Amino acid sequence: MNIVKRNLSDLKRPEKNMRLHPEKQMQEYIRSVKKNGQLKLIVIDEDNVIWIGNGLYEAMLACGYMEAYCLLKDNMSDKDKKKMMMSDNRVFDLGVDDMAAFDALIAELGDDLDVPGFDEELLKSLIADADDIDNMMSEYGLVDEDKKAEIVAAKETYDKQAEAFANAPQENSAPTETQRVKVNAENREQQKHIICPKCGEKIWL
């Protein structure tokens, strides 16, 4: 791979960027860069146009970085560059979370739940014990509306992922990844949850 270092001031945004970066995402991207530094390469062409990594580029600028490590992809046609950008964004979207592994990782983190991209209070709620759940319920009315919406939205995302895999075509062979995810989803039905007093939805704990 042709890995190079470039001044951020020399890099150029593409004319059309497939991925939008809302304010909330950029706040978490900046948190990630401050905590972990540059974790991925910015993909550029011979003209220093960014084809993959525009969000990372913006976050590094916001954090005061002057240089970034880049993967130089030269000798590509304009069409191939565009297809590369589209493919990178789409393939990433096709991934799903393994909720059993996700829950196990949270438990292993203990009290250190400062994870860019996640709300710390939401992560705490996912590993709360029975007494903590009672306290959460007694203080539920004190949680601000944005926090309630975030918890419900997270639960809906997990449910959609589980449903998508549960409804996928099954093959008469050894258990597939789809079948394993379905089992994980069924197991979650037996895990701790609370019922939102406002909307009646389950909130997994």
Side-chain angles (χ1 to χ4, degrees), residues 110-137:
D111 294 331
D112 185 7
L113 296 175
D114 178 17
V115 184
F118 294 92
D119 181 270
E120 187 169 349
E121 292 303 317
L122 175 59
L123 294 182
K124 287 180 179 178
S125 72
L126 297 176
I127 57 173
D129 58 25
D131 291 337
D132 292 333
I133 294 172
D134 290 340
N135 291 334
M136 288 170 59
M137 289 301 295

PDB file of all heavy atoms in Angstrom, residues 110-137:
ATOM      1  N   GLY A 110     -16.512  -2.514  32.842  1.00  0.00           N
ATOM      2  CA  GLY A 110     -16.737  -2.100  34.226  1.00  0.00           C
ATOM      3  C   GLY A 110     -17.289  -0.686  34.304  1.00  0.00           C
ATOM      4  O   GLY A 110     -18.263  -0.350  33.625  1.00  0.00           O
ATOM      5  N   ASP A 111     -16.656   0.150  35.135  1.00  0.00           N
ATOM      6  CA  ASP A 111     -17.131   1.528  35.322  1.00  0.00           C
ATOM      7  C   ASP A 111     -16.565   2.497  34.291  1.00  0.00           C
ATOM      8  O   ASP A 111     -16.971   3.659  34.235  1.00  0.00           O
ATOM      9  CB  ASP A 111     -16.752   2.032  36.724  1.00  0.00           C
ATOM     10  CG  ASP A 111     -17.472   1.260  37.827  1.00  0.00           C
ATOM     11  OD1 ASP A 111     -18.591   0.782  37.565  1.00  0.00           O
ATOM     12  OD2 ASP A 111     -16.894   1.124  38.920  1.00  0.00           O
ATOM     13  N   ASP A 112     -15.613   2.051  33.481  1.00  0.00           N
ATOM     14  CA  ASP A 112     -14.986   2.931  32.485  1.00  0.00           C
ATOM     15  C   ASP A 112     -15.767   2.846  31.183  1.00  0.00           C
ATOM     16  O   ASP A 112     -15.452   2.069  30.289  1.00  0.00           O
ATOM     17  CB  ASP A 112     -13.531   2.525  32.264  1.00  0.00           C
ATOM     18  CG  ASP A 112     -12.812   3.487  31.321  1.00  0.00           C
ATOM     19  OD1 ASP A 112     -13.406   4.528  30.961  1.00  0.00           O
ATOM     20  OD2 ASP A 112     -11.659   3.199  30.952  1.00  0.00           O
ATOM     21  N   LEU A 113     -16.820   3.659  31.065  1.00  0.00           N
ATOM     22  CA  LEU A 113     -17.710   3.601  29.906  1.00  0.00           C
ATOM     23  C   LEU A 113     -17.630   4.871  29.061  1.00  0.00           C
ATOM     24  O   LEU A 113     -18.588   5.262  28.400  1.00  0.00           O
ATOM     25  CB  LEU A 113     -19.155   3.367  30.367  1.00  0.00           C
ATOM     26  CG  LEU A 113     -19.395   2.024  31.070  1.00  0.00           C
ATOM     27  CD1 LEU A 113     -20.811   1.933  31.600  1.00  0.00           C
ATOM     28  CD2 LEU A 113     -19.086   0.860  30.135  1.00  0.00           C
ATOM     29  N   ASP A 114     -16.461   5.502  29.075  1.00  0.00           N
ATOM     30  CA  ASP A 114     -16.233   6.672  28.220  1.00  0.00           C
ATOM     31  C   ASP A 114     -15.835   6.166  26.838  1.00  0.00           C
ATOM     32  O   ASP A 114     -14.656   5.981  26.536  1.00  0.00           O
ATOM     33  CB  ASP A 114     -15.133   7.554  28.817  1.00  0.00           C
ATOM     34  CG  ASP A 114     -14.820   8.763  27.939  1.00  0.00           C
ATOM     35  OD1 ASP A 114     -15.647   9.090  27.052  1.00  0.00           O
ATOM     36  OD2 ASP A 114     -13.754   9.382  28.128  1.00  0.00           O
ATOM     37  N   VAL A 115     -16.829   5.915  26.000  1.00  0.00           N
ATOM     38  CA  VAL A 115     -16.613   5.344  24.670  1.00  0.00           C
ATOM     39  C   VAL A 115     -17.171   6.299  23.621  1.00  0.00           C
ATOM     40  O   VAL A 115     -18.390   6.472  23.535  1.00  0.00           O
ATOM     41  CB  VAL A 115     -17.300   3.971  24.524  1.00  0.00           C
ATOM     42  CG1 VAL A 115     -16.979   3.365  23.165  1.00  0.00           C
ATOM     43  CG2 VAL A 115     -16.892   3.033  25.653  1.00  0.00           C
ATOM     44  N   PRO A 116     -16.318   6.957  22.840  1.00  0.00           N
ATOM     45  CA  PRO A 116     -16.819   7.858  21.792  1.00  0.00           C
ATOM     46  C   PRO A 116     -17.823   7.148  20.888  1.00  0.00           C
ATOM     47  O   PRO A 116     -17.612   6.011  20.479  1.00  0.00           O
ATOM     48  CB  PRO A 116     -15.555   8.244  21.024  1.00  0.00           C
ATOM     49  CG  PRO A 116     -14.464   8.159  22.042  1.00  0.00           C
ATOM     50  CD  PRO A 116     -14.833   6.969  22.892  1.00  0.00           C
ATOM     51  N   GLY A 117     -18.931   7.838  20.609  1.00  0.00           N
ATOM     52  CA  GLY A 117     -19.991   7.249  19.796  1.00  0.00           C
ATOM     53  C   GLY A 117     -21.148   6.730  20.616  1.00  0.00           C
ATOM     54  O   GLY A 117     -22.235   6.494  20.094  1.00  0.00           O
ATOM     55  N   PHE A 118     -20.930   6.546  21.939  1.00  0.00           N
ATOM     56  CA  PHE A 118     -21.971   6.037  22.821  1.00  0.00           C
ATOM     57  C   PHE A 118     -22.214   7.005  23.963  1.00  0.00           C
ATOM     58  O   PHE A 118     -21.293   7.662  24.439  1.00  0.00           O
ATOM     59  CB  PHE A 118     -21.585   4.668  23.406  1.00  0.00           C
ATOM     60  CG  PHE A 118     -21.489   3.564  22.399  1.00  0.00           C
ATOM     61  CD1 PHE A 118     -20.274   3.272  21.792  1.00  0.00           C
ATOM     62  CD2 PHE A 118     -22.592   2.821  22.047  1.00  0.00           C
ATOM     63  CE1 PHE A 118     -20.163   2.258  20.854  1.00  0.00           C
ATOM     64  CE2 PHE A 118     -22.502   1.795  21.114  1.00  0.00           C
ATOM     65  CZ  PHE A 118     -21.279   1.525  20.514  1.00  0.00           C
ATOM     66  N   ASP A 119     -23.455   7.074  24.405  1.00  0.00           N
ATOM     67  CA  ASP A 119     -23.791   7.860  25.580  1.00  0.00           C
ATOM     68  C   ASP A 119     -23.469   7.032  26.823  1.00  0.00           C
ATOM     69  O   ASP A 119     -23.914   5.889  26.957  1.00  0.00           O
ATOM     70  CB  ASP A 119     -25.275   8.233  25.568  1.00  0.00           C
ATOM     71  CG  ASP A 119     -25.648   9.073  26.764  1.00  0.00           C
ATOM     72  OD1 ASP A 119     -26.025   8.488  27.793  1.00  0.00           O
ATOM     73  OD2 ASP A 119     -25.563  10.311  26.683  1.00  0.00           O
ATOM     74  N   GLU A 120     -22.687   7.597  27.721  1.00  0.00           N
ATOM     75  CA  GLU A 120     -22.232   6.849  28.893  1.00  0.00           C
ATOM     76  C   GLU A 120     -23.393   6.383  29.762  1.00  0.00           C
ATOM     77  O   GLU A 120     -23.390   5.255  30.272  1.00  0.00           O
ATOM     78  CB  GLU A 120     -21.271   7.713  29.720  1.00  0.00           C
ATOM     79  CG  GLU A 120     -20.619   6.969  30.864  1.00  0.00           C
ATOM     80  CD  GLU A 120     -19.484   7.750  31.512  1.00  0.00           C
ATOM     81  OE1 GLU A 120     -19.071   8.785  30.940  1.00  0.00           O
ATOM     82  OE2 GLU A 120     -19.028   7.344  32.591  1.00  0.00           O
ATOM     83  N   GLU A 121     -24.413   7.223  29.937  1.00  0.00           N
ATOM     84  CA  GLU A 121     -25.548   6.832  30.776  1.00  0.00           C
ATOM     85  C   GLU A 121     -26.319   5.679  30.146  1.00  0.00           C
ATOM     86  O   GLU A 121     -26.828   4.804  30.841  1.00  0.00           O
ATOM     87  CB  GLU A 121     -26.472   8.036  30.992  1.00  0.00           C
ATOM     88  CG  GLU A 121     -25.858   9.142  31.837  1.00  0.00           C
ATOM     89  CD  GLU A 121     -25.411   8.630  33.203  1.00  0.00           C
ATOM     90  OE1 GLU A 121     -26.175   7.854  33.824  1.00  0.00           O
ATOM     91  OE2 GLU A 121     -24.300   8.975  33.629  1.00  0.00           O
ATOM     92  N   LEU A 122     -26.406   5.682  28.807  1.00  0.00           N
ATOM     93  CA  LEU A 122     -27.096   4.591  28.127  1.00  0.00           C
ATOM     94  C   LEU A 122     -26.350   3.280  28.332  1.00  0.00           C
ATOM     95  O   LEU A 122     -26.959   2.243  28.610  1.00  0.00           O
ATOM     96  CB  LEU A 122     -27.211   4.897  26.631  1.00  0.00           C
ATOM     97  CG  LEU A 122     -27.821   3.791  25.757  1.00  0.00           C
ATOM     98  CD1 LEU A 122     -29.227   3.449  26.226  1.00  0.00           C
ATOM     99  CD2 LEU A 122     -27.833   4.212  24.304  1.00  0.00           C
ATOM    100  N   LEU A 123     -25.032   3.307  28.224  1.00  0.00           N
ATOM    101  CA  LEU A 123     -24.249   2.087  28.446  1.00  0.00           C
ATOM    102  C   LEU A 123     -24.407   1.581  29.875  1.00  0.00           C
ATOM    103  O   LEU A 123     -24.493   0.382  30.110  1.00  0.00           O
ATOM    104  CB  LEU A 123     -22.775   2.340  28.136  1.00  0.00           C
ATOM    105  CG  LEU A 123     -22.420   2.638  26.679  1.00  0.00           C
ATOM    106  CD1 LEU A 123     -20.917   2.823  26.520  1.00  0.00           C
ATOM    107  CD2 LEU A 123     -22.913   1.533  25.756  1.00  0.00           C
ATOM    108  N   LYS A 124     -24.442   2.506  30.829  1.00  0.00           N
ATOM    109  CA  LYS A 124     -24.630   2.103  32.226  1.00  0.00           C
ATOM    110  C   LYS A 124     -25.966   1.394  32.411  1.00  0.00           C
ATOM    111  O   LYS A 124     -26.078   0.434  33.170  1.00  0.00           O
ATOM    112  CB  LYS A 124     -24.547   3.322  33.146  1.00  0.00           C
ATOM    113  CG  LYS A 124     -23.143   3.880  33.325  1.00  0.00           C
ATOM    114  CD  LYS A 124     -23.144   5.084  34.258  1.00  0.00           C
ATOM    115  CE  LYS A 124     -21.738   5.643  34.456  1.00  0.00           C
ATOM    116  NZ  LYS A 124     -21.740   6.838  35.326  1.00  0.00           N
ATOM    117  N   SER A 125     -26.994   1.881  31.718  1.00  0.00           N
ATOM    118  CA  SER A 125     -28.313   1.281  31.868  1.00  0.00           C
ATOM    119  C   SER A 125     -28.342  -0.148  31.336  1.00  0.00           C
ATOM    120  O   SER A 125     -29.138  -0.977  31.781  1.00  0.00           O
ATOM    121  CB  SER A 125     -29.365   2.123  31.142  1.00  0.00           C
ATOM    122  OG  SER A 125     -29.241   2.008  29.726  1.00  0.00           O
ATOM    123  N   LEU A 126     -27.464  -0.469  30.366  1.00  0.00           N
ATOM    124  CA  LEU A 126     -27.459  -1.797  29.774  1.00  0.00           C
ATOM    125  C   LEU A 126     -26.860  -2.854  30.699  1.00  0.00           C
ATOM    126  O   LEU A 126     -27.078  -4.053  30.503  1.00  0.00           O
ATOM    127  CB  LEU A 126     -26.685  -1.775  28.453  1.00  0.00           C
ATOM    128  CG  LEU A 126     -27.279  -0.896  27.354  1.00  0.00           C
ATOM    129  CD1 LEU A 126     -26.374  -0.888  26.136  1.00  0.00           C
ATOM    130  CD2 LEU A 126     -28.678  -1.358  26.980  1.00  0.00           C
ATOM    131  N   ILE A 127     -26.090  -2.428  31.704  1.00  0.00           N
ATOM    132  CA  ILE A 127     -25.481  -3.401  32.623  1.00  0.00           C
ATOM    133  C   ILE A 127     -25.978  -3.197  34.053  1.00  0.00           C
ATOM    134  O   ILE A 127     -25.396  -3.700  34.997  1.00  0.00           O
ATOM    135  CB  ILE A 127     -23.943  -3.302  32.592  1.00  0.00           C
ATOM    136  CG1 ILE A 127     -23.460  -1.888  32.943  1.00  0.00           C
ATOM    137  CG2 ILE A 127     -23.402  -3.724  31.237  1.00  0.00           C
ATOM    138  CD1 ILE A 127     -21.954  -1.778  33.079  1.00  0.00           C
ATOM    139  N   ALA A 128     -27.071  -2.461  34.206  1.00  0.00           N
ATOM    140  CA  ALA A 128     -27.591  -2.176  35.545  1.00  0.00           C
ATOM    141  C   ALA A 128     -28.124  -3.446  36.201  1.00  0.00           C
ATOM    142  O   ALA A 128     -28.676  -4.320  35.539  1.00  0.00           O
ATOM    143  CB  ALA A 128     -28.695  -1.128  35.446  1.00  0.00           C
ATOM    144  N   ASP A 129     -27.957  -3.549  37.526  1.00  0.00           N
ATOM    145  CA  ASP A 129     -28.534  -4.675  38.252  1.00  0.00           C
ATOM    146  C   ASP A 129     -29.944  -4.320  38.707  1.00  0.00           C
ATOM    147  O   ASP A 129     -30.455  -3.243  38.414  1.00  0.00           O
ATOM    148  CB  ASP A 129     -27.653  -5.091  39.434  1.00  0.00           C
ATOM    149  CG  ASP A 129     -27.431  -3.950  40.428  1.00  0.00           C
ATOM    150  OD1 ASP A 129     -28.273  -3.035  40.494  1.00  0.00           O
ATOM    151  OD2 ASP A 129     -26.395  -3.984  41.131  1.00  0.00           O
ATOM    152  N   ALA A 130     -30.590  -5.221  39.429  1.00  0.00           N
ATOM    153  CA  ALA A 130     -31.989  -5.029  39.796  1.00  0.00           C
ATOM    154  C   ALA A 130     -32.199  -3.761  40.619  1.00  0.00           C
ATOM    155  O   ALA A 130     -33.162  -3.013  40.399  1.00  0.00           O
ATOM    156  CB  ALA A 130     -32.501  -6.253  40.562  1.00  0.00           C
ATOM    157  N   ASP A 131     -31.315  -3.491  41.595  1.00  0.00           N
ATOM    158  CA  ASP A 131     -31.464  -2.298  42.414  1.00  0.00           C
ATOM    159  C   ASP A 131     -31.302  -1.031  41.582  1.00  0.00           C
ATOM    160  O   ASP A 131     -32.031  -0.047  41.768  1.00  0.00           O
ATOM    161  CB  ASP A 131     -30.428  -2.301  43.551  1.00  0.00           C
ATOM    162  CG  ASP A 131     -30.709  -3.372  44.586  1.00  0.00           C
ATOM    163  OD1 ASP A 131     -31.888  -3.796  44.675  1.00  0.00           O
ATOM    164  OD2 ASP A 131     -29.774  -3.790  45.289  1.00  0.00           O
ATOM    165  N   ASP A 132     -30.349  -1.067  40.658  1.00  0.00           N
ATOM    166  CA  ASP A 132     -30.147   0.090  39.793  1.00  0.00           C
ATOM    167  C   ASP A 132     -31.374   0.337  38.927  1.00  0.00           C
ATOM    168  O   ASP A 132     -31.753   1.475  38.667  1.00  0.00           O
ATOM    169  CB  ASP A 132     -28.918  -0.106  38.896  1.00  0.00           C
ATOM    170  CG  ASP A 132     -27.625  -0.099  39.694  1.00  0.00           C
ATOM    171  OD1 ASP A 132     -27.611   0.540  40.766  1.00  0.00           O
ATOM    172  OD2 ASP A 132     -26.652  -0.729  39.251  1.00  0.00           O
ATOM    173  N   ILE A 133     -31.979  -0.768  38.456  1.00  0.00           N
ATOM    174  CA  ILE A 133     -33.179  -0.634  37.622  1.00  0.00           C
ATOM    175  C   ILE A 133     -34.296   0.029  38.412  1.00  0.00           C
ATOM    176  O   ILE A 133     -35.001   0.903  37.907  1.00  0.00           O
ATOM    177  CB  ILE A 133     -33.634  -2.017  37.110  1.00  0.00           C
ATOM    178  CG1 ILE A 133     -32.569  -2.586  36.164  1.00  0.00           C
ATOM    179  CG2 ILE A 133     -34.972  -1.920  36.399  1.00  0.00           C
ATOM    180  CD1 ILE A 133     -32.828  -4.018  35.753  1.00  0.00           C
ATOM    181  N   ASP A 134     -34.480  -0.381  39.675  1.00  0.00           N
ATOM    182  CA  ASP A 134     -35.516   0.229  40.515  1.00  0.00           C
ATOM    183  C   ASP A 134     -35.268   1.720  40.658  1.00  0.00           C
ATOM    184  O   ASP A 134     -36.205   2.533  40.592  1.00  0.00           O
ATOM    185  CB  ASP A 134     -35.549  -0.439  41.891  1.00  0.00           C
ATOM    186  CG  ASP A 134     -36.091  -1.857  41.834  1.00  0.00           C
ATOM    187  OD1 ASP A 134     -36.787  -2.177  40.844  1.00  0.00           O
ATOM    188  OD2 ASP A 134     -35.808  -2.633  42.766  1.00  0.00           O
ATOM    189  N   ASN A 135     -34.017   2.105  40.870  1.00  0.00           N
ATOM    190  CA  ASN A 135     -33.686   3.522  41.000  1.00  0.00           C
ATOM    191  C   ASN A 135     -33.949   4.268  39.700  1.00  0.00           C
ATOM    192  O   ASN A 135     -34.447   5.394  39.700  1.00  0.00           O
ATOM    193  CB  ASN A 135     -32.213   3.690  41.400  1.00  0.00           C
ATOM    194  CG  ASN A 135     -31.937   3.223  42.814  1.00  0.00           C
ATOM    195  OD1 ASN A 135     -32.834   3.230  43.657  1.00  0.00           O
ATOM    196  ND2 ASN A 135     -30.706   2.806  43.076  1.00  0.00           N
ATOM    197  N   MET A 136     -33.603   3.627  38.584  1.00  0.00           N
ATOM    198  CA  MET A 136     -33.854   4.250  37.290  1.00  0.00           C
ATOM    199  C   MET A 136     -35.338   4.499  37.077  1.00  0.00           C
ATOM    200  O   MET A 136     -35.749   5.552  36.596  1.00  0.00           O
ATOM    201  CB  MET A 136     -33.311   3.371  36.160  1.00  0.00           C
ATOM    202  CG  MET A 136     -31.791   3.349  36.049  1.00  0.00           C
ATOM    203  SD  MET A 136     -31.230   2.075  34.903  1.00  0.00           S
ATOM    204  CE  MET A 136     -32.080   2.612  33.413  1.00  0.00           C
ATOM    205  N   MET A 137     -36.151   3.499  37.454  1.00  0.00           N
ATOM    206  CA  MET A 137     -37.595   3.633  37.266  1.00  0.00           C
ATOM    207  C   MET A 137     -38.159   4.732  38.153  1.00  0.00           C
ATOM    208  O   MET A 137     -39.021   5.501  37.744  1.00  0.00           O
ATOM    209  CB  MET A 137     -38.294   2.305  37.568  1.00  0.00           C
ATOM    210  CG  MET A 137     -38.035   1.232  36.509  1.00  0.00           C
ATOM    211  SD  MET A 137     -38.587   1.735  34.861  1.00  0.00           S
ATOM    212  CE  MET A 137     -40.358   1.850  35.143  1.00  0.00           C
TER     213      MET A 137
END
